Structures are given as C-alpha cells and as structure tokens.
Amino acid sequence: IMKHLKQIAIILAVSFAGEALHSIIPLPVPGSIYGLLLMLALLMTGAVKIHEVKAVGDWLITLMPIMFVAPTAGLISGFDSYRGFIIPIIVIVLVTTPLTMVVTGKTAEGLMRVEERKRKERRHNDK
C-alpha cells in the first residue's frame, strides 16, 4: 500500500505543478496539459522511472471511461442548444479524430525508435 501511496503522491505532485505552471504562464493551455508534458519530461529524463508510477497510472486508465459518463449525459440533455451546429460538429469530429490518432501513433513510433536506439547504443557500449 505504501508503494501505491508513493505513486499517487508523485502523480498528484506533477499535476499540482502543472496547475501551478498554468497560473504562472500566460498561455491558454490547461494545467493538465502542462502536467502531462512535465510527466513526459520527467519520464524521458529518468527523473521519474516508469515503475514509480505504472501501477497507479494503469489503475487511473481503467477508470477513464467513467469520466466520460457525465459529459456524455450533458451532451445528450443539452442537444437542443447545439442542434443547429450538429453538422459542423460531426465534420470536426470526423476530421480531428483520425488526425489525432495518426499524430499519436507517429509520436509513439518515434519515441519507440529513439528508445530502441538508446538500448542498442547501451548494448554496444557495454561490449
């Protein structure tokens, strides 16, 4: 249980730092995005190791679908207020969803290539 508390503390600290950055930096970027970028930087530099946040991170990901219930219910109940914009909304969703998937996939592939190169260099240097 102490392991999980430590992981929660790390994730909360990074989230809090992201919110703090949001209040300091005058850009229209949500604090959660700053937090995600900060966590990415910490993981890539090795300041935080993946095993230090993996169990709680996996658990939070399993809870993610629950987080969409309230917004979905709000969209359904407020349909009359955006009925006139439904076609532009559908077009935007149909364009941005595949675009987001492609960019995410290419980013993940690039990161995996970088990591594989680092692994090969380490093996080569160890010989």
Side-chain angles (χ1 to χ4, degrees), residues 102-113:
V102 168
V103 169
T104 302
K106 292 297 181 184
T107 301
E109 285 177 357
L111 290 172
M112 288 189 299
R113 277 194 299 272

Side-chain angles (χ1 to χ4, degrees), residues 43-102:
L43 289 168
M44 290 185 74
T45 61
V48 172
K49 305 286 188 236
I50 190 75
H51 71 272
E52 295 176 323
V53 291
K54 184 166 179 21
V56 171
D58 288 345
W59 176 71
L60 290 171
I61 288 172
T62 63
L63 295 178
M64 193 178 290
I66 296 169
M67 303 304 171
F68 290 101
V69 172
T72 303
L75 284 173
I76 292 169
S77 67
F79 181 72
D80 289 337
S81 66
Y82 61 86
R83 179 178 294 200
F85 302 105
I86 196 69
I87 298 300
I89 291 171
I90 289 172
V91 169
I92 290 168
V93 168
L94 290 176
V95 170
T96 60
T97 299
L99 182 64
T100 301
M101 292 169 70
V102 168

